Amino acid sequence: MGDITSNLPIRAKSEPVKFGHALRDSDFLFDPSYRNLNHGSFGTIPAHIRNIMRQYQDRAEAKPDPFIRSRYPELLDESREAVAKILGVPTETCVFVANATMGVNTVLRNIVWNEDGKDEILYFETIYNGCAKTIDFVVEYNRGLVQSRCVPISYPCLDEDIVQNFERVVEEVKKEGKRVRLALLDVVSSNPGIRFPFEAVTASCKKHGVLSLVDGAQGIGMVKLDHLAEVDPDFFVSNCHKWLHVPRGCAVFYVPLRNQPLIRSTVPTSHGFEPLELPGGKKRVNPLRPNDKGYFVDGFQFIGTVDNAPFLCVKEAIKWREEVLGGEERIRDELIKMAREGGKLVAEALGTEVLDNETQTMSASAMTNVALPLPAEEIKANGEGQEVHGYILDTLMDEYQTFVAIFVFQGRWWARLSAQVYLELEDFKWAGGVLKEICERVSRGDFRKSI
């Protein structure tokens, strides 16, 4: 088989493509009846990138060993180089993992905790639950060597309030005779979908000698990250399959050279791991071709036999975004604008408000959070939270052919909606009407009839 055909669909080059429904219909793979207002959960890809991925898969099936053992590492390096440019970091600091949770697990399972039992992991109240449970496991597994502590957040607030809360908790830990070993923080939190001041918190970590682990699950392709080398976190992971239009699952995992010795093993451990010593001076053979990329990069190059075709599509997705959508800056600016304006339309329909602060730093992303007009205290008092949540989601999917993330935060019900290049403000206006109708049905008790 020949080389991968990556020619983009022929279209007029006189001006950048217009975002909206025409782009959705020409480039994306949605069922015509479905409105995707929840890009932030699973992302999606244009047909062009789907076709590229399938070509890579076909190449792997045509000649499995030559492709997987020889050609795949070369193509992987090309994608590593392309994503490193987006982040503004050296190629040798970037590898790929399946998703952001895998990256967080890799860091937390590699850290060697001090034997005096004084280490603590700090995380913020808005942590993604999968990562929170990873911390719970690490605390449980290490049996007293490390503990965890939550940094509270009271939204809406200013970015400096979050930093001050963090530093206050760090001081609390010190006064108790313990040490903050690592802090887990977001680029954009999940629920609510809020732009987090990860740059300032990372700087605070440096000041206090704390390792910073940045969960950018919602990050690359949505917010500006080409200053990552300047921010200089100790560890950073970001899903490419959410906002960068890369197939699921693919995340870039960045570890600066100074910290790569801390990552002794991939998760799961595979051929790249080198034991410090084995009984009798034995040495285990690595069946893969030797290279000069270093222990860190070599270890993540091949973990096991899975379909890593999405990793190879990163460079093609970046190219598509540049040549068709007009580049990263245009995409970011348009999506943030759409999310802010769309959120206002939904809030107007519901008679509520958007979650934001006076400086609008909280809303500097492609997601918007709008309060729902639901009797939160009554629902909680009746113990009906799960029933209401399930009813809303099922109704959205079954009756309205859409999905909106629904969650309770600080005693109030919220809806999180995503802006994307295939949407228009009309979609948000429509969503506002849908959510209003469903909330009215919940208030009438219709959800009880479905139990």
Side-chain angles (χ1 to χ4, degrees), residues 373-375 378-379 388 391 436-448:
L374 289 175
E378 178 183 337
I379 292 171
V388 169
Y391 173 79
K436 180 180 180 181
E437 181 176 329
I438 294 176
C439 287
E440 290 172 348
R441 290 161 66 173
V442 169
S443 297
R444 292 196 304 263
D446 289 6
F447 68 94
R448 298 188 184 96

PDB file of all heavy atoms in Angstrom, residues 373-375 378-379 388 391 436-448:
ATOM      1  N   PRO A 373     -33.639  26.651  36.569  1.00  0.00           N
ATOM      2  CA  PRO A 373     -34.691  27.082  37.514  1.00  0.00           C
ATOM      3  C   PRO A 373     -35.370  25.880  38.162  1.00  0.00           C
ATOM      4  O   PRO A 373     -36.553  25.607  37.947  1.00  0.00           O
ATOM      5  CB  PRO A 373     -35.654  27.864  36.611  1.00  0.00           C
ATOM      6  CG  PRO A 373     -35.526  27.187  35.281  1.00  0.00           C
ATOM      7  CD  PRO A 373     -34.080  26.771  35.162  1.00  0.00           C
ATOM      8  N   LEU A 374     -34.594  25.150  38.974  1.00  0.00           N
ATOM      9  CA  LEU A 374     -35.112  23.968  39.651  1.00  0.00           C
ATOM     10  C   LEU A 374     -35.083  24.174  41.163  1.00  0.00           C
ATOM     11  O   LEU A 374     -34.170  24.817  41.683  1.00  0.00           O
ATOM     12  CB  LEU A 374     -34.274  22.738  39.292  1.00  0.00           C
ATOM     13  CG  LEU A 374     -34.413  22.202  37.865  1.00  0.00           C
ATOM     14  CD1 LEU A 374     -33.428  21.065  37.629  1.00  0.00           C
ATOM     15  CD2 LEU A 374     -35.842  21.745  37.590  1.00  0.00           C
ATOM     16  N   PRO A 375     -36.063  23.617  41.883  1.00  0.00           N
ATOM     17  CA  PRO A 375     -36.102  23.741  43.354  1.00  0.00           C
ATOM     18  C   PRO A 375     -35.076  22.811  43.993  1.00  0.00           C
ATOM     19  O   PRO A 375     -35.416  21.714  44.465  1.00  0.00           O
ATOM     20  CB  PRO A 375     -37.540  23.339  43.691  1.00  0.00           C
ATOM     21  CG  PRO A 375     -37.923  22.383  42.595  1.00  0.00           C
ATOM     22  CD  PRO A 375     -37.228  22.882  41.360  1.00  0.00           C
ATOM     23  N   GLU A 378     -35.657  21.474  47.644  1.00  0.00           N
ATOM     24  CA  GLU A 378     -36.776  20.529  47.721  1.00  0.00           C
ATOM     25  C   GLU A 378     -36.383  19.170  47.148  1.00  0.00           C
ATOM     26  O   GLU A 378     -36.690  18.113  47.723  1.00  0.00           O
ATOM     27  CB  GLU A 378     -37.977  21.095  46.959  1.00  0.00           C
ATOM     28  CG  GLU A 378     -39.183  20.162  46.942  1.00  0.00           C
ATOM     29  CD  GLU A 378     -40.329  20.725  46.120  1.00  0.00           C
ATOM     30  OE1 GLU A 378     -40.374  21.959  45.938  1.00  0.00           O
ATOM     31  OE2 GLU A 378     -41.169  19.921  45.665  1.00  0.00           O
ATOM     32  N   ILE A 379     -35.692  19.197  46.000  1.00  0.00           N
ATOM     33  CA  ILE A 379     -35.247  17.946  45.383  1.00  0.00           C
ATOM     34  C   ILE A 379     -34.293  17.201  46.305  1.00  0.00           C
ATOM     35  O   ILE A 379     -34.394  15.979  46.491  1.00  0.00           O
ATOM     36  CB  ILE A 379     -34.573  18.234  44.025  1.00  0.00           C
ATOM     37  CG1 ILE A 379     -35.600  18.750  43.022  1.00  0.00           C
ATOM     38  CG2 ILE A 379     -33.891  16.985  43.479  1.00  0.00           C
ATOM     39  CD1 ILE A 379     -34.999  19.264  41.722  1.00  0.00           C
ATOM     40  N   VAL A 388     -34.142  12.928  39.281  1.00  0.00           N
ATOM     41  CA  VAL A 388     -34.266  14.139  38.466  1.00  0.00           C
ATOM     42  C   VAL A 388     -33.149  14.198  37.431  1.00  0.00           C
ATOM     43  O   VAL A 388     -33.398  14.485  36.244  1.00  0.00           O
ATOM     44  CB  VAL A 388     -34.239  15.403  39.361  1.00  0.00           C
ATOM     45  CG1 VAL A 388     -34.103  16.658  38.511  1.00  0.00           C
ATOM     46  CG2 VAL A 388     -35.499  15.474  40.209  1.00  0.00           C
ATOM     47  N   TYR A 391     -33.784  11.670  34.696  1.00  0.00           N
ATOM     48  CA  TYR A 391     -34.940  12.071  33.879  1.00  0.00           C
ATOM     49  C   TYR A 391     -34.548  13.151  32.873  1.00  0.00           C
ATOM     50  O   TYR A 391     -34.922  13.070  31.691  1.00  0.00           O
ATOM     51  CB  TYR A 391     -36.064  12.574  34.784  1.00  0.00           C
ATOM     52  CG  TYR A 391     -37.239  13.162  34.038  1.00  0.00           C
ATOM     53  CD1 TYR A 391     -38.192  12.348  33.453  1.00  0.00           C
ATOM     54  CD2 TYR A 391     -37.379  14.550  33.922  1.00  0.00           C
ATOM     55  CE1 TYR A 391     -39.272  12.892  32.763  1.00  0.00           C
ATOM     56  CE2 TYR A 391     -38.445  15.102  33.234  1.00  0.00           C
ATOM     57  CZ  TYR A 391     -39.398  14.267  32.651  1.00  0.00           C
ATOM     58  OH  TYR A 391     -40.450  14.805  31.955  1.00  0.00           O
ATOM     59  N   LYS A 436     -35.892  24.873  29.428  1.00  0.00           N
ATOM     60  CA  LYS A 436     -37.006  25.497  30.148  1.00  0.00           C
ATOM     61  C   LYS A 436     -38.192  24.541  30.235  1.00  0.00           C
ATOM     62  O   LYS A 436     -38.793  24.357  31.308  1.00  0.00           O
ATOM     63  CB  LYS A 436     -37.419  26.792  29.451  1.00  0.00           C
ATOM     64  CG  LYS A 436     -38.585  27.501  30.145  1.00  0.00           C
ATOM     65  CD  LYS A 436     -38.966  28.786  29.401  1.00  0.00           C
ATOM     66  CE  LYS A 436     -40.127  29.479  30.107  1.00  0.00           C
ATOM     67  NZ  LYS A 436     -40.533  30.719  29.381  1.00  0.00           N
ATOM     68  N   GLU A 437     -38.507  23.917  29.108  1.00  0.00           N
ATOM     69  CA  GLU A 437     -39.642  22.992  29.088  1.00  0.00           C
ATOM     70  C   GLU A 437     -39.391  21.795  30.007  1.00  0.00           C
ATOM     71  O   GLU A 437     -40.285  21.365  30.756  1.00  0.00           O
ATOM     72  CB  GLU A 437     -39.904  22.503  27.663  1.00  0.00           C
ATOM     73  CG  GLU A 437     -41.083  21.557  27.560  1.00  0.00           C
ATOM     74  CD  GLU A 437     -41.391  21.167  26.117  1.00  0.00           C
ATOM     75  OE1 GLU A 437     -41.142  22.005  25.229  1.00  0.00           O
ATOM     76  OE2 GLU A 437     -41.864  20.038  25.904  1.00  0.00           O
ATOM     77  N   ILE A 438     -38.187  21.241  29.972  1.00  0.00           N
ATOM     78  CA  ILE A 438     -37.876  20.083  30.814  1.00  0.00           C
ATOM     79  C   ILE A 438     -37.906  20.465  32.282  1.00  0.00           C
ATOM     80  O   ILE A 438     -38.408  19.698  33.124  1.00  0.00           O
ATOM     81  CB  ILE A 438     -36.506  19.491  30.422  1.00  0.00           C
ATOM     82  CG1 ILE A 438     -36.561  18.916  29.006  1.00  0.00           C
ATOM     83  CG2 ILE A 438     -36.088  18.409  31.413  1.00  0.00           C
ATOM     84  CD1 ILE A 438     -35.237  18.391  28.494  1.00  0.00           C
ATOM     85  N   CYS A 439     -37.380  21.640  32.627  1.00  0.00           N
ATOM     86  CA  CYS A 439     -37.407  22.082  34.026  1.00  0.00           C
ATOM     87  C   CYS A 439     -38.847  22.262  34.517  1.00  0.00           C
ATOM     88  O   CYS A 439     -39.164  21.949  35.675  1.00  0.00           O
ATOM     89  CB  CYS A 439     -36.628  23.383  34.185  1.00  0.00           C
ATOM     90  SG  CYS A 439     -34.825  23.165  34.079  1.00  0.00           S
ATOM     91  N   GLU A 440     -39.712  22.747  33.650  1.00  0.00           N
ATOM     92  CA  GLU A 440     -41.123  22.891  34.026  1.00  0.00           C
ATOM     93  C   GLU A 440     -41.737  21.519  34.280  1.00  0.00           C
ATOM     94  O   GLU A 440     -42.533  21.339  35.218  1.00  0.00           O
ATOM     95  CB  GLU A 440     -41.880  23.630  32.920  1.00  0.00           C
ATOM     96  CG  GLU A 440     -41.511  25.101  32.810  1.00  0.00           C
ATOM     97  CD  GLU A 440     -42.115  25.775  31.595  1.00  0.00           C
ATOM     98  OE1 GLU A 440     -42.638  25.051  30.705  1.00  0.00           O
ATOM     99  OE2 GLU A 440     -42.045  27.021  31.500  1.00  0.00           O
ATOM    100  N   ARG A 441     -41.367  20.539  33.493  1.00  0.00           N
ATOM    101  CA  ARG A 441     -41.872  19.178  33.679  1.00  0.00           C
ATOM    102  C   ARG A 441     -41.361  18.573  34.986  1.00  0.00           C
ATOM    103  O   ARG A 441     -42.097  17.863  35.686  1.00  0.00           O
ATOM    104  CB  ARG A 441     -41.484  18.322  32.481  1.00  0.00           C
ATOM    105  CG  ARG A 441     -42.244  18.718  31.212  1.00  0.00           C
ATOM    106  CD  ARG A 441     -41.593  18.228  29.940  1.00  0.00           C
ATOM    107  NE  ARG A 441     -41.596  16.777  29.821  1.00  0.00           N
ATOM    108  CZ  ARG A 441     -41.192  16.129  28.728  1.00  0.00           C
ATOM    109  NH1 ARG A 441     -40.763  16.825  27.657  1.00  0.00           N
ATOM    110  NH2 ARG A 441     -41.203  14.807  28.683  1.00  0.00           N
ATOM    111  N   VAL A 442     -40.096  18.857  35.301  1.00  0.00           N
ATOM    112  CA  VAL A 442     -39.544  18.375  36.567  1.00  0.00           C
ATOM    113  C   VAL A 442     -40.289  19.004  37.736  1.00  0.00           C
ATOM    114  O   VAL A 442     -40.649  18.322  38.713  1.00  0.00           O
ATOM    115  CB  VAL A 442     -38.032  18.684  36.663  1.00  0.00           C
ATOM    116  CG1 VAL A 442     -37.514  18.428  38.080  1.00  0.00           C
ATOM    117  CG2 VAL A 442     -37.246  17.848  35.661  1.00  0.00           C
ATOM    118  N   SER A 443     -40.527  20.316  37.663  1.00  0.00           N
ATOM    119  CA  SER A 443     -41.221  21.020  38.743  1.00  0.00           C
ATOM    120  C   SER A 443     -42.641  20.500  38.939  1.00  0.00           C
ATOM    121  O   SER A 443     -43.177  20.537  40.054  1.00  0.00           O
ATOM    122  CB  SER A 443     -41.240  22.525  38.452  1.00  0.00           C
ATOM    123  OG  SER A 443     -39.914  23.045  38.418  1.00  0.00           O
ATOM    124  N   ARG A 444     -43.262  19.982  37.860  1.00  0.00           N
ATOM    125  CA  ARG A 444     -44.602  19.392  37.967  1.00  0.00           C
ATOM    126  C   ARG A 444     -44.557  17.970  38.525  1.00  0.00           C
ATOM    127  O   ARG A 444     -45.604  17.389  38.831  1.00  0.00           O
ATOM    128  CB  ARG A 444     -45.279  19.361  36.590  1.00  0.00           C
ATOM    129  CG  ARG A 444     -45.648  20.708  36.020  1.00  0.00           C
ATOM    130  CD  ARG A 444     -46.648  20.547  34.885  1.00  0.00           C
ATOM    131  NE  ARG A 444     -46.166  19.668  33.826  1.00  0.00           N
ATOM    132  CZ  ARG A 444     -45.589  20.100  32.707  1.00  0.00           C
ATOM    133  NH1 ARG A 444     -45.396  21.407  32.516  1.00  0.00           N
ATOM    134  NH2 ARG A 444     -45.199  19.251  31.784  1.00  0.00           N
ATOM    135  N   GLY A 445     -43.337  17.432  38.617  1.00  0.00           N
ATOM    136  CA  GLY A 445     -43.207  16.073  39.130  1.00  0.00           C
ATOM    137  C   GLY A 445     -43.302  15.000  38.065  1.00  0.00           C
ATOM    138  O   GLY A 445     -43.458  13.809  38.396  1.00  0.00           O
ATOM    139  N   ASP A 446     -43.180  15.368  36.789  1.00  0.00           N
ATOM    140  CA  ASP A 446     -43.304  14.377  35.718  1.00  0.00           C
ATOM    141  C   ASP A 446     -42.262  13.281  35.828  1.00  0.00           C
ATOM    142  O   ASP A 446     -42.478  12.153  35.368  1.00  0.00           O
ATOM    143  CB  ASP A 446     -43.185  15.064  34.351  1.00  0.00           C
ATOM    144  CG  ASP A 446     -44.399  15.921  34.006  1.00  0.00           C
ATOM    145  OD1 ASP A 446     -45.287  16.060  34.882  1.00  0.00           O
ATOM    146  OD2 ASP A 446     -44.448  16.451  32.882  1.00  0.00           O
ATOM    147  N   PHE A 447     -41.097  13.587  36.400  1.00  0.00           N
ATOM    148  CA  PHE A 447     -40.030  12.581  36.507  1.00  0.00           C
ATOM    149  C   PHE A 447     -40.452  11.399  37.366  1.00  0.00           C
ATOM    150  O   PHE A 447     -39.963  10.276  37.192  1.00  0.00           O
ATOM    151  CB  PHE A 447     -38.750  13.203  37.068  1.00  0.00           C
ATOM    152  CG  PHE A 447     -38.844  13.642  38.508  1.00  0.00           C
ATOM    153  CD1 PHE A 447     -38.440  12.798  39.523  1.00  0.00           C
ATOM    154  CD2 PHE A 447     -39.343  14.900  38.829  1.00  0.00           C
ATOM    155  CE1 PHE A 447     -38.526  13.194  40.845  1.00  0.00           C
ATOM    156  CE2 PHE A 447     -39.427  15.305  40.150  1.00  0.00           C
ATOM    157  CZ  PHE A 447     -39.020  14.452  41.166  1.00  0.00           C
ATOM    158  N   ARG A 448     -41.382  11.626  38.300  1.00  0.00           N
ATOM    159  CA  ARG A 448     -41.838  10.525  39.165  1.00  0.00           C
ATOM    160  C   ARG A 448     -42.625   9.501  38.376  1.00  0.00           C
ATOM    161  O   ARG A 448     -42.635   8.305  38.712  1.00  0.00           O
ATOM    162  CB  ARG A 448     -42.687  11.079  40.304  1.00  0.00           C
ATOM    163  CG  ARG A 448     -41.945  12.032  41.239  1.00  0.00           C
ATOM    164  CD  ARG A 448     -42.757  12.393  42.453  1.00  0.00           C
ATOM    165  NE  ARG A 448     -42.065  13.377  43.290  1.00  0.00           N
ATOM    166  CZ  ARG A 448     -42.287  14.687  43.225  1.00  0.00           C
ATOM    167  NH1 ARG A 448     -43.184  15.159  42.363  1.00  0.00           N
ATOM    168  NH2 ARG A 448     -41.608  15.512  43.991  1.00  0.00           N
TER     169      ARG A 448
END
